[in-house]
Amino acid sequence: MQLVVARIGRAHGIKGEVTVEVRTDEPELRLAPGAVLATEPATTGPLTIETGRVHSGRLLLRFEGVKDRTAAEALRNTLLIADVDPAELPEDPEEFYDHQLMDLDVVLADGTGIGRITEITHLPSQDLFIVERPDGSEVMIPFVEEIVTEIDLDEQRAVIAPPPGLIDESEAVVASAREEEGATAAGTGKDDA
């Protein structure tokens, strides 16, 4: 099975290094020197990682045959794809590969069905489950411990405890900052005159 593990960003320096947006929880395994990665677009690769280092919190990679800034810049926005054995599991039992989570049923703690995971979106701050509901509509559920309370691969389900308004907009609580400021100012008892 092929998994996207990174996206190449801009060139760094003049010796062929590039920044990468990491899309794997195991960069030390997937993006190590010597790793051979397929690419999207396919015509760009395969690419073999020659060196890797962290600089100012960003991973920098250099690929075999990419020796200058011009060649590095030509790789910008290329997706790096690793071949992964479908039976392979992450070392941490609290981590999951996307393919393990796809098509899981999403249910509330009481067993009420919400829908099925059809896509996983990876954002800088968190991952989101895109869940297709029985009526065909979609809902986005942040993949955070406070909301996704259990992943049960044996039962093929994700149990959630959504805050009010996440699943049913009619339950949303809307607070206005102006109302809060007005209540605070009114409660001071100060005379403006």
Side-chain angles (χ1 to χ4, degrees):
M1 169 181 5
Q2 294 192 318
L3 298 175
V4 174
V5 293
R7 183 183 65 80
I8 298 176
R10 59 184 174 79
H12 179 83
I14 60 171
K15 296 183 179 180
E17 284 185 311
V18 295
T19 61
V20 293
E21 173 190 315
V22 177
R23 295 188 179 176
T24 176
D25 290 335
E26 301 170 316
E28 66 285 346
L29 174 66
R30 308 282 179 222
L31 301 172
V36 179
L37 302 167
T39 61
E40 178 61 43
T43 55
T44 307
L47 294 172
T48 302
I49 298 174
E50 186 174 284
T51 63
R53 67 186 178 101
V54 176
H55 175 73
S56 297
R58 296 214 50 141
L59 180 61
L60 302 178
L61 297 179
R62 181 177 304 142
F63 300 99
E64 290 180 6
V66 178
K67 300 297 180 192
D68 60 32
R69 185 175 184 88
T70 303
E73 193 60 43
L75 297 174
R76 191 175 197 157
N77 292 321
T78 298
L79 296 177
L80 299 176
I81 303 166
D83 282 317
V84 177
D85 180 350
E88 183 181 326
L89 299 175
E91 290 180 18
D92 184 342
E94 295 297 314
E95 292 181 6
F96 304 94
Y97 292 134
D98 286 4
H99 70 273
Q100 294 175 289
L101 302 171
M102 291 297 293
D103 293 323
L104 291 184
D105 291 324
V106 178
V107 299
L108 298 177
D110 66 6
T112 303
I114 300 300
R116 182 179 55 84
I117 299 172
T118 58
E119 185 180 338
I120 299 166
T121 302
H122 301 280
L123 301 176
S125 59
Q126 67 191 16
D127 296 335
L128 288 176
F129 290 159
I130 308 302
V131 177
E132 183 177 317
R133 300 178 80 165
D135 66 4
S137 65
E138 291 183 336
V139 62
M140 292 183 282
I141 299 178
F143 187 22
V144 295
E145 191 175 356
E146 296 79 23
I147 296 174
V148 181
T149 58
E150 179 186 358
I151 299 290
D152 186 339
L153 296 178
D154 293 331
E155 295 292 325
Q156 287 290 290
R157 66 184 191 150
V159 179
I160 65 169
L166 183 65
I167 303 299
D168 185 354
E169 291 180 19
S170 67
E171 296 175 358
V173 177
V174 180
S176 170
R178 287 187 180 174
E179 289 174 341
E180 289 176 18
E181 287 174 3
T184 303
T188 61
K190 291 184 180 177
D191 189 7
D192 291 340

